[in-house]
Structure formats: C-alpha cells, structure tokens
Amino acid sequence: MYQTLYRKYRPRSFSEIVGQDIIVRTLKNSILNCKVAHAYLFIGPRGTGKTSTAKIFARAVNCLDNHEGDICANCIACDFSMHKDCLDIIEIDAASNNGVDEIRNLREKVALVPSELKYKVYIIDEVHMLTISAFNALLKTLEEPPEHVIFILATTDPQKVPETIISRCQCFNFSRIADLNIVNYLSMVCQKEKIDCEADVLEHIAVMSDGGMRDSISMLDKLSSYKNGKIVLEDFLTLNGLVTTKDLDNFLNLILESKVSLIIEMLENWNSKGKNIVQIMIQFLDFLKSELIEGYINNTVTNLSLLQELANLLNEKMFDIKKSSNPKIYIEIMLLNFVNQCKIISREIISSKTSKIDELNCDIIQNKHDSQEKSESFKNADHVSCDENSISEVKEKKSVIMENCSSKFSHSNINDIMEIRMNNAFISAKKEFLKEDKLKFNQLNDYTFDQNIGYLVCALLDGKIRLSSENYLVVSYEYDSVVLENLVNFQNMEKVLFDKLGMTKKLIIISDDKWSVYAKQYVDHLKNNEQYEYRKEPELMFDYGVSQGEENLNNENNDSVSSIFGDIVEMC
Ligand SMILES: [Zn+2]
C-alpha cells in the first residue's frame, strides 16, 4: 500500500527535525547532562513538529547508547521504542480521550514501573481539549510523579491550558518553520522520490502551508499524484484554486484605477471558475507585500502609500474574510469601500485649500479603514466648526461622491440609509410593536429549509430584534462580517417579511456594538428632551411596496419611555 510522503518522511531522530534547532539542542543537552524534567509542554502551530519531537525525545531519553543526546537506533531500548506496541511510550489524543475517567485510568497505570525501558513516557496530544476535571486529575499526578515517568503535553492552543498545569511543565514554543527550510526539505524529498518539480512551486507551497511542514509535504504529495510529468506553477495554482501573479497585478491595477465594475467582474470570474477566493486574498496580500518591499528598496513603485493602505486593510480584515460565510461578497464590499475612500481622499486633497477643510481631511483619513464608522465620519465632518460655505461645500462633494458610486452594493450608501432609518425608527418605536414582531418572526421557522428563501429566513432569524416602530424594524448581529453580508441582501430580506408575514416594514441592519451606541444616544436625547426629526432617505433601486410614508412625528410618549424601551434603558 502507498505510504503517504508525510508519514514516510516523518523525522525519526533529532537530526531530522527541521527548523526547531534551539528546542532540539536544549532537549539533547538535558539528556546528556541527566537533567530531564518530569513534565514538558510543547506549544506551537500545527505541523511544526511537536508530536514528532515528543516521540523522538521519548526514545532518546531511553536510549542506552545515545549519540550526543540523539538516539543510536541500534540498542535494545531503541529497538523496543521503535515498535508501535511499545508499552512504555504511551500516546494519548486528548481530543478523543478528554474525560476524567481516562485520566484516572492513566493515574493508576502511572504508578506501575516501566516494562521494557528506563522511563515510561506519556505523550498527551492536544492537551487543551481535556475537561477541567480531567486537568485536575492530571494535576495531582504532575505534582508528585513517580521517578520513572515523564509527561510530554502538546498543544496548539496554550490559552486553554490551566496556569497550574503550565507552571509545572518545562515549556517549549515551536515556531513556524521558515519558508527556506521548508523549500530545502521539499527539494530533498523531491530528489529522493524522483519528483520533477519547478523550484518556484516549492516556494509557493512553503508560503501556502504557513510554516507547517506536515501541510507542505502533503501538498507536494497531492501535486505529485495530480501530475505525472514535471510539476509547474500552473498545476499548483489550479489544484489550489489560486491565480497567477499577472492576474494579481491586473487586479491591483483595477483597484488603484477605481474600476469598480471590472473588480466585481474579476472576482465573479474567479468565483465561477471555482477558484478559492479566500486563498487568492492571502496570495494577494503576499503579492502586495512583495510590491511594497520592491517599492521601498528600489523606489520603482508609484502609489506606495495607497498600496500600504490596501495591504493594511487586507491584513486587518483577513480573519473576518476567512470567517465569513460568503467571503466573495465580503471582499467585494470591502474593496468597493476602499475604492470609494480613495476617491474621497483624492477629492479632498485637491480641494483642501483652507485649514478648516484640512481638519476635515484628518477626520476622514483617520476613519478611512473602518467601514462601519464611515457614515459616522461624515456626521463628524459636518460637526467640524466650519463656516456655512465650507459645510455646504463638503455636503456637495459628499453627494457627488455618492452619485459616482456606481454599485448598489456601495457600503457607504447603505450605511447612510441605515443611519437615516435608525433615526426615523426612534421617532415612533413602541414596545407593543416589538412584542408583536417578535411573535410574528416565529412563523419564519417554517421557511428555514425553503430552497429559494431559506438563507434569507435564517439571516433574519439569526439577528436580534432590537426595536420596532410603525414602519421600521431594527435587527442587530454580533459580527461585522455578518452585518455586511446581510446589508447586501436587506431588500430581499424585506421582501421575505412582506411575502411571508405581511410585514411592510423597512429593515435596519446593524451590529450589536452600533446598536449599543444608538441606544445610548437615544437615552441621552430623552434626558435632554431632544426630539428626533424625520429624515428622508435616498431612493432605493427596488421597492417592494414598503410604505414610504413619514413616521408618526407625534412624540407624546416620551414620559413613559423607560417602560416602552425597557431594554434600551437597562443597557445604559
Ligand atoms: Zn539507542
């Protein structure tokens, strides 16, 4: 049977471990100097050699004729410990044996002397998966271990390991393996396995595996199965749903030239070809990094600061992109927002002749990354103490920019609409509406598996209904990425409310954080006896018969506000 390359090239002695030189040297020295601790904790990302090092250490510490701390591979002890069924090297996967019973069972066996070797070594992988009671049971053993026992705990997530455990272990941090080390190791594997592979493919594998040797060898294995002849970069890109550097270069140019529709088209094109959009963004970030380095060293790249901004944005949002259930839409909105911001800044720079406008620039520049805060920044901009003329100038510019924004997905536009709606919703919100709508929402559960609208129904049900007025309904979500996704669909979600519940309300989709801010503002307004004034929202592309009528401006209920908005007042 075919043995996967990863298993075949698993290190079997300290000398074969790649990229963890300091740890290896320390462990070898501890064996040489007879200073072996009774408990170790190996911390590090996946595929960096924690388990392999643990196994080798378990053998080396038992070797009868160690070579400068490494195994000899010839003595009886090495022979015993090489066998899978060696009774004295016990591997436990905490992910599947995480209960207190397993650890109690272990404690009972710990007391027994080793059957074949000098030390009994327990390797507990993914130790953070143990339950609290299992940790407590383990702690007792770690406190007073028998002389002949060594524990090696390994984890990718040290945050979840109790401090009491960590403090009783000698800790080693396994770092991500450097790309160069991975490339060299893969070249060696290629040579031995007679795999014909272009050098830049190996570099790409190293970047993609993010410092994990196991992943990189598995990737090479996959590639060699995919292609019989010489493996070229195109094969690597196809197999991983990635694109060429030329594609990335084109993509970057489209962004820098603010060609909105072509950006969307390119993403759509990648998506329809089954490319992996998230991986492409990681690739794009790496590409930007190279461009920046090139730019700083050789001074050959124009738009350096813009590249820097784009790289920062992508870097900041990468976690959200990976987490998003629809990364393509998230990326689209993020990039449109970026393009739009670039337009604003270039316009501001051209026309910023007065110091007051300069102040405004700072305001906008400071806020330019935070898409959620965008409409806020405009609001702040309006509050800058400018004279009447400059304020109207700013407003004029703002409307020109908004008009320029060709896509209905324009995030700033949606944000503006949501802000206006939020304002209007506060005018005639009532607790009775809230109760009524929460009840009505239950009926949506019947449609969660509907092929056409199921995803919209789920999006509605996932939100928290915060406030309801005659014509508006506020739904909030914990994560910004979810808000962004739902903002794209908010009109379809309104249609679902209309079709299935007969509701003719306009939706306001915001984050939990933003809701808290609005709720607090509302309470402040009430305290100061300030009234919300109705604001007209911009025309929408589609209208599903939702009432456009003005909210009831009669705001007599202010006195009983705390009873109406109990949940708001409690929050503050
Ligand atoms: Zn030996």
Side-chain angles (χ1 to χ4, degrees), residues 5-64:
L5 287 184
Y6 163 62
R7 288 170 63 96
K8 196 169 173 183
Y9 287 92
R10 196 172 215 167
R12 285 181 173 75
S13 66
F14 279 135
S15 60
E16 291 176 13
I17 290 177
V18 178
Q20 309 294 356
D21 299 350
I22 296 172
I23 293 173
V24 166
R25 196 193 311 153
T26 316
L27 291 174
K28 276 161 71 177
N29 281 340
S30 71
I31 294 172
L32 273 179
N33 303 325
C34 299
K35 284 183 178 169
V36 176
H38 68 268
Y40 293 89
L41 178 62
F42 291 177
I43 301 163
R46 56 189 240 115
T48 48
K50 299 182 297 297
T51 319
S52 298
T53 308
K55 284 180 185 169
I56 294 164
F57 183 67
R59 285 179 206 138
V61 84
N62 280 304
C63 175
L64 300 173

Side-chain angles (χ1 to χ4, degrees), residues 95-121:
S96 45
N97 304 290
N98 59 0
V100 69
D101 290 342
E102 278 88 356
I103 300 296
R104 282 202 186 121
N105 187 18
L106 179 153
R107 271 171 60 192
E108 282 162 23
K109 288 184 183 160
V110 157
L112 304 172
V113 290
S115 57
E116 293 156 333
L117 304 171
K118 188 178 169 194
Y119 290 105
K120 219 171 177 172
V121 186

Side-chain angles (χ1 to χ4, degrees), residues 59-60 62-66 70-79:
R59 285 179 206 138
N62 280 304
C63 175
L64 300 173
D65 184 24
N66 71 67
D70 206 346
I71 57 166
C72 74
N74 285 320
C75 69
I76 310 172
C78 282
D79 216 30

Side-chain angles (χ1 to χ4, degrees), residues 215-332:
D215 287 352
S216 63
I217 298 178
S218 298
M219 176 71 65
L220 181 67
D221 206 358
K222 212 160 80 176
L223 269 170
S224 68
S225 311
Y226 172 76
K227 184 91 176 270
N228 282 326
K230 185 174 181 129
I231 300 167
V232 295
L233 189 58
E234 194 61 42
D235 302 322
F236 171 82
L237 298 175
T238 310
L239 194 64
N240 293 293
L242 299 174
V243 294
T244 61
T245 310
K246 193 163 175 283
D247 287 333
L248 295 175
D249 195 31
N250 290 340
F251 190 56
L252 175 63
N253 285 332
L254 293 181
I255 295 172
L256 296 180
E257 290 161 17
S258 302
K259 291 187 175 158
V260 171
S261 56
L262 291 177
I263 296 172
I264 301 287
E265 200 178 300
M266 198 153 185
L267 284 166
E268 191 60 55
N269 189 21
W270 285 337
N271 200 43
S272 63
K273 280 183 183 164
K275 300 277 182 195
N276 185 337
I277 299 276
V278 174
Q279 282 301 333
I280 291 176
M281 285 304 119
I282 296 172
Q283 213 189 347
F284 188 45
L285 184 58
D286 198 61
F287 172 76
L288 287 175
K289 188 187 80 181
S290 310
E291 289 287 296
L292 278 171
I293 294 172
E294 169 82 14
Y296 282 120
I297 295 176
N298 299 330
N299 230 347
T300 49
V301 181
T302 50
N303 286 326
L304 255 189
S305 62
L306 218 51
L307 280 187
Q308 179 88 61
E309 296 295 341
L310 183 58
N312 282 343
L313 173 71
L314 205 54
N315 197 26
E316 270 171 27
K317 300 288 180 192
M318 198 52 89
F319 182 74
D320 284 345
I321 292 174
K322 286 178 186 170
K323 207 175 54 185
S324 169
S325 59
N326 193 337
K328 184 176 145 278
I329 290 178
Y330 188 94
I331 294 161
E332 280 171 353

Side-chain angles (χ1 to χ4, degrees), residues 435-566:
K435 267 190 190 165
E436 208 174 279
D437 291 345
K438 278 185 177 171
L439 267 178
K440 271 191 189 169
F441 256 54
N442 289 334
Q443 295 170 32
L444 286 177
N445 282 308
D446 297 343
Y447 306 101
T448 47
F449 294 107
D450 188 297
Q451 270 194 338
N452 298 319
I453 59 160
Y455 73 104
L456 297 167
V457 169
C458 290
L460 283 162
L461 288 171
D462 283 347
K464 299 180 202 100
I465 307 180
R466 297 295 196 168
L467 185 127
S468 176
S469 73
E470 212 172 320
N471 294 325
Y472 296 97
L473 186 67
V474 181
V475 183
S476 82
Y477 298 85
E478 184 177 357
Y479 298 109
D480 288 347
S481 54
V482 180
V483 173
L484 280 177
E485 274 162 34
N486 290 338
L487 278 176
V488 175
N489 284 323
F490 82 95
Q491 286 172 295
N492 292 329
M493 287 159 83
E494 282 174 349
K495 190 171 186 311
V496 168
L497 291 181
F498 180 69
D499 289 348
K500 302 300 173 194
L501 306 180
M503 231 187 232
T504 56
K505 292 190 181 184
K506 294 180 183 182
L507 271 179
I508 297 154
I509 292 168
I510 54 173
S511 66
D512 287 349
D513 289 346
K514 207 148 191 183
W515 164 248
S516 308
V517 174
Y518 279 126
K520 192 176 177 311
Q521 274 173 8
Y522 177 74
V523 173
D524 290 344
H525 265 68
L526 292 181
K527 280 181 192 158
N528 302 333
N529 241 341
E530 290 165 350
Q531 304 252 328
Y532 280 85
E533 281 183 27
Y534 179 81
R535 288 165 64 190
K536 191 166 171 19
E537 69 179 76
E539 288 286 314
L540 290 176
M541 223 168 231
F542 303 108
D543 192 348
Y544 299 112
V546 175
S547 164
Q548 288 279 348
E550 289 201 358
E551 281 284 324
N552 178 13
L553 293 170
N554 191 351
N555 215 357
E556 287 166 0
N557 290 325
N558 271 1
D559 294 341
S560 55
V561 152
S562 60
S563 67
I564 294 168
F565 301 107

